[in-house]
Amino acid sequence: MLYFFLGEDEPAYNIDHQVLLYTGDEPLACVDPPAEYACESYTHLKPHTLEAVFAPDLPHWSTRDYDTLVALLGEQAQENYESWVRELHQQPDKVLVARLFGHASGVGQDSREDAYVVREVGPQYLFDLKKWAELNMIHALDWLHFLTFESVDELDLMFWDAGYLQFLIHRKDPRNLNFQNLYAAIETS
């Protein structure tokens, strides 16, 4: 079981977080949070059961993968692309809450580039366009989509103005069960 803990989501990039892997080896006990961390904003939330379903996934329009795919498929593909994505994600009587693995998303640019800059180059260069021009962004392709939580109005789950919370993981980390280097960001338009 993976447990996700978030810090402040302001700003929406490089969000403080911690992901813990529970292997089942240690006993767990339910504990109330300390009073100083209690948050009345969440007392009305109801638990929900999540069910995993396998579904195909297409690259997001802001990524290099999308550019490559559309170049291969031609102009007609670009015109029909959004309708294809909607059809793939529609599950009768189900609400899409999260995506595990698949393609990374982004708003305006490939979010894997942000992960690469923050985790491998230095967070101080995230908005330094001069530094970005010097970088070989091919290394951003080493960052993979790990998990995305979508905003879902029916569940009263909202990330900023109906955006999504995305975690990216470096290609070498899943096989080592290393979740300490994940990159977390809220993408919203």
Side-chain angles (χ1 to χ4, degrees), residues 89-107:
H89 289 170
Q90 286 179 345
Q91 295 283 329
D93 303 321
K94 298 194 187 308
V95 177
L96 177 66
V97 176
R99 286 186 309 111
L100 182 63
F101 303 119
H103 292 279
S105 298
V107 175

Side-chain angles (χ1 to χ4, degrees), residues 93-187:
D93 303 321
K94 298 194 187 308
V95 177
L96 177 66
V97 176
R99 286 186 309 111
L100 182 63
F101 303 119
H103 292 279
S105 298
V107 175
Q109 73 180 37
D110 196 324
S111 58
R112 297 173 298 179
E113 293 178 3
D114 291 349
Y116 163 63
V117 170
V118 168
R119 291 288 182 260
E120 296 185 60
V121 178
Q124 69 273 22
Y125 298 117
L126 186 58
F127 298 108
D128 184 339
L129 297 180
K130 184 178 177 186
K131 181 67 173 178
W132 276 58
E134 299 170 1
L135 298 174
N136 182 353
M137 286 300 177
I138 195 73
H139 299 295
L141 299 179
D142 287 336
W143 286 88
L144 309 172
H145 176 261
F146 181 63
L147 180 65
T148 293
F149 293 101
E150 303 285 344
S151 288
V152 179
D153 199 30
E154 298 91 338
L155 303 179
D156 200 17
L157 177 66
M158 210 52 67
F159 298 102
W160 286 32
D161 65 344
Y164 52 88
L165 171 63
Q166 179 173 234
F167 292 88
L168 301 176
I169 192 166
H170 193 276
R171 154 180 329 278
K172 68 181 177 357
D173 290 338
R175 66 183 83 123
N176 302 323
L177 297 178
N178 178 9
F179 302 105
Q180 302 307 308
N181 195 35
L182 289 172
Y183 176 78
I186 292 177
E187 301 279 348

